[in-house]
Amino acid sequence: MTESESASSAYERGVGAGRIEQRLQGHDEHLRHINGSIDSMTQALQVLTEELRANAALLSANVTSGRRDAVERDKIAAVRIEEAGLFDSRSTVRWTRWQRWVAVVGAIILVVNFGLGLYLAFGR
């Protein structure tokens, strides 16, 4: 092998190694780009996960509050119905037998007096 063949062979090996180096460098940049994309996607997913958890907690709190409000409304309605029932039972007066007789006799006396007043007013 001559020196020019040896230099040519070394040159070809250097060019080949340069191409390999360049391709490897391109692959490294591509992998860095992929890793950066994966990192940004991971961060975005973490943000979305936290937002979803916060929204789920808010929804759960609203549902619990709504149920509690419904239970409170039902209790208030039951108390009001009970109070209305007590009021009705208090307002319903049961007269005893002698109270009824007194009322009937009083009504008869009132009618007789009214009739007597009319008779005296127009009868003379």
Side-chain angles (χ1 to χ4, degrees):
M1 225 186 212
T2 64
E3 197 170 305
S4 78
E5 287 179 352
S6 166
S8 176
S9 167
Y11 175 75
E12 291 296 324
R13 281 191 309 236
V15 168
R19 286 184 189 148
I20 292 172
E21 180 70 26
Q22 185 179 8
R23 286 185 71 195
L24 287 176
Q25 190 175 18
H27 288 303
D28 287 345
E29 288 176 19
H30 183 69
L31 288 174
R32 271 194 295 276
H33 178 70
I34 290 173
N35 286 341
S37 296
I38 290 173
D39 289 342
S40 66
M41 287 299 288
T42 302
Q43 290 174 351
L45 283 175
Q46 287 174 345
V47 168
L48 287 174
T49 301
E50 291 302 318
E51 187 176 336
L52 182 62
R53 284 182 183 155
N55 287 338
L58 181 63
L59 177 65
S60 176
N62 286 339
V63 167
T64 303
S65 175
R67 285 182 186 157
R68 186 181 63 239
D69 290 345
V71 168
E72 293 291 326
R73 284 190 301 261
D74 290 343
K75 286 180 183 177
I76 291 169
V79 167
R80 288 185 178 164
I81 288 171
E82 184 178 329
E83 288 174 352
L86 290 176
F87 180 74
D88 288 342
S89 68
R90 287 184 197 153
S91 65
T92 304
V93 177
R94 294 282 184 200
W95 288 11
T96 60
R97 179 172 284 195
W98 69 268
Q99 288 172 330
R100 286 187 216 139
W101 278 108
V102 168
V104 168
V105 169
I108 291 172
I109 291 172
L110 182 66
V111 169
V112 169
N113 281 334
F114 182 72
L116 185 61
L118 287 176
Y119 175 74
L120 290 177
F122 296 112
R124 286 191 181 199

PDB file of all heavy atoms in Angstrom, residues 33-49:
ATOM      1  N   HIS A  33     -35.408  16.380  21.377  1.00  0.00           N
ATOM      2  CA  HIS A  33     -36.693  16.974  21.013  1.00  0.00           C
ATOM      3  C   HIS A  33     -37.845  16.097  21.515  1.00  0.00           C
ATOM      4  O   HIS A  33     -38.830  16.596  22.070  1.00  0.00           O
ATOM      5  CB  HIS A  33     -36.773  17.163  19.493  1.00  0.00           C
ATOM      6  CG  HIS A  33     -38.076  17.730  19.028  1.00  0.00           C
ATOM      7  ND1 HIS A  33     -38.441  19.025  19.268  1.00  0.00           N
ATOM      8  CD2 HIS A  33     -39.116  17.153  18.373  1.00  0.00           C
ATOM      9  CE1 HIS A  33     -39.640  19.239  18.770  1.00  0.00           C
ATOM     10  NE2 HIS A  33     -40.076  18.119  18.209  1.00  0.00           N
ATOM     11  N   ILE A  34     -37.735  14.783  21.331  1.00  0.00           N
ATOM     12  CA  ILE A  34     -38.765  13.850  21.801  1.00  0.00           C
ATOM     13  C   ILE A  34     -38.859  13.910  23.323  1.00  0.00           C
ATOM     14  O   ILE A  34     -39.962  13.975  23.884  1.00  0.00           O
ATOM     15  CB  ILE A  34     -38.478  12.415  21.311  1.00  0.00           C
ATOM     16  CG1 ILE A  34     -38.703  12.316  19.801  1.00  0.00           C
ATOM     17  CG2 ILE A  34     -39.354  11.403  22.054  1.00  0.00           C
ATOM     18  CD1 ILE A  34     -38.281  10.992  19.207  1.00  0.00           C
ATOM     19  N   ASN A  35     -37.699  13.901  24.004  1.00  0.00           N
ATOM     20  CA  ASN A  35     -37.714  13.970  25.466  1.00  0.00           C
ATOM     21  C   ASN A  35     -38.335  15.278  25.945  1.00  0.00           C
ATOM     22  O   ASN A  35     -39.084  15.294  26.928  1.00  0.00           O
ATOM     23  CB  ASN A  35     -36.298  13.818  26.023  1.00  0.00           C
ATOM     24  CG  ASN A  35     -35.808  12.389  25.942  1.00  0.00           C
ATOM     25  OD1 ASN A  35     -36.594  11.460  25.799  1.00  0.00           O
ATOM     26  ND2 ASN A  35     -34.498  12.211  26.018  1.00  0.00           N
ATOM     27  N   GLY A  36     -38.057  16.383  25.269  1.00  0.00           N
ATOM     28  CA  GLY A  36     -38.669  17.664  25.632  1.00  0.00           C
ATOM     29  C   GLY A  36     -40.173  17.626  25.432  1.00  0.00           C
ATOM     30  O   GLY A  36     -40.934  18.142  26.257  1.00  0.00           O
ATOM     31  N   SER A  37     -40.607  16.999  24.344  1.00  0.00           N
ATOM     32  CA  SER A  37     -42.044  16.878  24.101  1.00  0.00           C
ATOM     33  C   SER A  37     -42.696  16.009  25.165  1.00  0.00           C
ATOM     34  O   SER A  37     -43.791  16.313  25.650  1.00  0.00           O
ATOM     35  CB  SER A  37     -42.299  16.264  22.724  1.00  0.00           C
ATOM     36  OG  SER A  37     -41.821  17.108  21.713  1.00  0.00           O
ATOM     37  N   ILE A  38     -42.030  14.933  25.528  1.00  0.00           N
ATOM     38  CA  ILE A  38     -42.576  14.049  26.568  1.00  0.00           C
ATOM     39  C   ILE A  38     -42.642  14.787  27.898  1.00  0.00           C
ATOM     40  O   ILE A  38     -43.636  14.683  28.627  1.00  0.00           O
ATOM     41  CB  ILE A  38     -41.724  12.759  26.678  1.00  0.00           C
ATOM     42  CG1 ILE A  38     -41.933  11.901  25.428  1.00  0.00           C
ATOM     43  CG2 ILE A  38     -42.082  11.977  27.929  1.00  0.00           C
ATOM     44  CD1 ILE A  38     -41.032  10.690  25.349  1.00  0.00           C
ATOM     45  N   ASP A  39     -41.604  15.569  28.212  1.00  0.00           N
ATOM     46  CA  ASP A  39     -41.609  16.332  29.464  1.00  0.00           C
ATOM     47  C   ASP A  39     -42.746  17.357  29.482  1.00  0.00           C
ATOM     48  O   ASP A  39     -43.450  17.504  30.485  1.00  0.00           O
ATOM     49  CB  ASP A  39     -40.270  17.049  29.674  1.00  0.00           C
ATOM     50  CG  ASP A  39     -39.139  16.088  30.018  1.00  0.00           C
ATOM     51  OD1 ASP A  39     -39.448  14.949  30.434  1.00  0.00           O
ATOM     52  OD2 ASP A  39     -37.966  16.481  29.865  1.00  0.00           O
ATOM     53  N   SER A  40     -42.925  18.059  28.362  1.00  0.00           N
ATOM     54  CA  SER A  40     -44.012  19.051  28.329  1.00  0.00           C
ATOM     55  C   SER A  40     -45.371  18.365  28.391  1.00  0.00           C
ATOM     56  O   SER A  40     -46.296  18.874  29.031  1.00  0.00           O
ATOM     57  CB  SER A  40     -43.898  19.938  27.091  1.00  0.00           C
ATOM     58  OG  SER A  40     -44.113  19.186  25.917  1.00  0.00           O
ATOM     59  N   MET A  41     -45.523  17.209  27.770  1.00  0.00           N
ATOM     60  CA  MET A  41     -46.778  16.462  27.845  1.00  0.00           C
ATOM     61  C   MET A  41     -47.021  15.973  29.274  1.00  0.00           C
ATOM     62  O   MET A  41     -48.149  16.008  29.768  1.00  0.00           O
ATOM     63  CB  MET A  41     -46.761  15.269  26.888  1.00  0.00           C
ATOM     64  CG  MET A  41     -46.891  15.652  25.428  1.00  0.00           C
ATOM     65  SD  MET A  41     -48.428  16.484  25.078  1.00  0.00           S
ATOM     66  CE  MET A  41     -49.547  15.131  25.201  1.00  0.00           C
ATOM     67  N   THR A  42     -45.967  15.527  29.939  1.00  0.00           N
ATOM     68  CA  THR A  42     -46.094  15.078  31.326  1.00  0.00           C
ATOM     69  C   THR A  42     -46.545  16.227  32.213  1.00  0.00           C
ATOM     70  O   THR A  42     -47.441  16.066  33.051  1.00  0.00           O
ATOM     71  CB  THR A  42     -44.749  14.510  31.830  1.00  0.00           C
ATOM     72  OG1 THR A  42     -44.359  13.431  30.981  1.00  0.00           O
ATOM     73  CG2 THR A  42     -44.868  14.002  33.251  1.00  0.00           C
ATOM     74  N   GLN A  43     -45.966  17.408  32.031  1.00  0.00           N
ATOM     75  CA  GLN A  43     -46.365  18.572  32.815  1.00  0.00           C
ATOM     76  C   GLN A  43     -47.819  18.962  32.510  1.00  0.00           C
ATOM     77  O   GLN A  43     -48.590  19.282  33.419  1.00  0.00           O
ATOM     78  CB  GLN A  43     -45.432  19.751  32.537  1.00  0.00           C
ATOM     79  CG  GLN A  43     -44.046  19.567  33.098  1.00  0.00           C
ATOM     80  CD  GLN A  43     -43.094  20.688  32.678  1.00  0.00           C
ATOM     81  OE1 GLN A  43     -43.450  21.495  31.832  1.00  0.00           O
ATOM     82  NE2 GLN A  43     -41.908  20.695  33.266  1.00  0.00           N
ATOM     83  N   ALA A  44     -48.181  18.926  31.249  1.00  0.00           N
ATOM     84  CA  ALA A  44     -49.557  19.261  30.874  1.00  0.00           C
ATOM     85  C   ALA A  44     -50.535  18.263  31.482  1.00  0.00           C
ATOM     86  O   ALA A  44     -51.605  18.647  31.973  1.00  0.00           O
ATOM     87  CB  ALA A  44     -49.700  19.290  29.353  1.00  0.00           C
ATOM     88  N   LEU A  45     -50.191  16.979  31.469  1.00  0.00           N
ATOM     89  CA  LEU A  45     -51.054  15.964  32.073  1.00  0.00           C
ATOM     90  C   LEU A  45     -51.163  16.158  33.581  1.00  0.00           C
ATOM     91  O   LEU A  45     -52.250  15.958  34.161  1.00  0.00           O
ATOM     92  CB  LEU A  45     -50.540  14.563  31.756  1.00  0.00           C
ATOM     93  CG  LEU A  45     -50.830  14.054  30.344  1.00  0.00           C
ATOM     94  CD1 LEU A  45     -50.150  12.710  30.122  1.00  0.00           C
ATOM     95  CD2 LEU A  45     -52.327  13.927  30.120  1.00  0.00           C
ATOM     96  N   GLN A  46     -50.065  16.550  34.226  1.00  0.00           N
ATOM     97  CA  GLN A  46     -50.118  16.810  35.667  1.00  0.00           C
ATOM     98  C   GLN A  46     -51.038  17.995  35.968  1.00  0.00           C
ATOM     99  O   GLN A  46     -51.830  17.957  36.911  1.00  0.00           O
ATOM    100  CB  GLN A  46     -48.717  17.082  36.213  1.00  0.00           C
ATOM    101  CG  GLN A  46     -47.852  15.845  36.296  1.00  0.00           C
ATOM    102  CD  GLN A  46     -46.417  16.155  36.693  1.00  0.00           C
ATOM    103  OE1 GLN A  46     -45.984  17.302  36.646  1.00  0.00           O
ATOM    104  NE2 GLN A  46     -45.685  15.121  37.076  1.00  0.00           N
ATOM    105  N   VAL A  47     -50.950  19.045  35.158  1.00  0.00           N
ATOM    106  CA  VAL A  47     -51.821  20.206  35.344  1.00  0.00           C
ATOM    107  C   VAL A  47     -53.284  19.802  35.136  1.00  0.00           C
ATOM    108  O   VAL A  47     -54.161  20.166  35.921  1.00  0.00           O
ATOM    109  CB  VAL A  47     -51.413  21.354  34.390  1.00  0.00           C
ATOM    110  CG1 VAL A  47     -52.471  22.441  34.359  1.00  0.00           C
ATOM    111  CG2 VAL A  47     -50.068  21.921  34.788  1.00  0.00           C
ATOM    112  N   LEU A  48     -53.553  19.044  34.078  1.00  0.00           N
ATOM    113  CA  LEU A  48     -54.918  18.587  33.815  1.00  0.00           C
ATOM    114  C   LEU A  48     -55.433  17.681  34.933  1.00  0.00           C
ATOM    115  O   LEU A  48     -56.605  17.762  35.319  1.00  0.00           O
ATOM    116  CB  LEU A  48     -54.991  17.860  32.476  1.00  0.00           C
ATOM    117  CG  LEU A  48     -54.894  18.743  31.230  1.00  0.00           C
ATOM    118  CD1 LEU A  48     -54.833  17.879  29.981  1.00  0.00           C
ATOM    119  CD2 LEU A  48     -56.069  19.689  31.159  1.00  0.00           C
ATOM    120  N   THR A  49     -54.557  16.822  35.457  1.00  0.00           N
ATOM    121  CA  THR A  49     -54.954  15.936  36.547  1.00  0.00           C
ATOM    122  C   THR A  49     -55.334  16.737  37.781  1.00  0.00           C
ATOM    123  O   THR A  49     -56.353  16.465  38.427  1.00  0.00           O
ATOM    124  CB  THR A  49     -53.810  14.957  36.877  1.00  0.00           C
ATOM    125  OG1 THR A  49     -53.495  14.201  35.705  1.00  0.00           O
ATOM    126  CG2 THR A  49     -54.197  14.012  37.994  1.00  0.00           C
TER     127      THR A  49
END
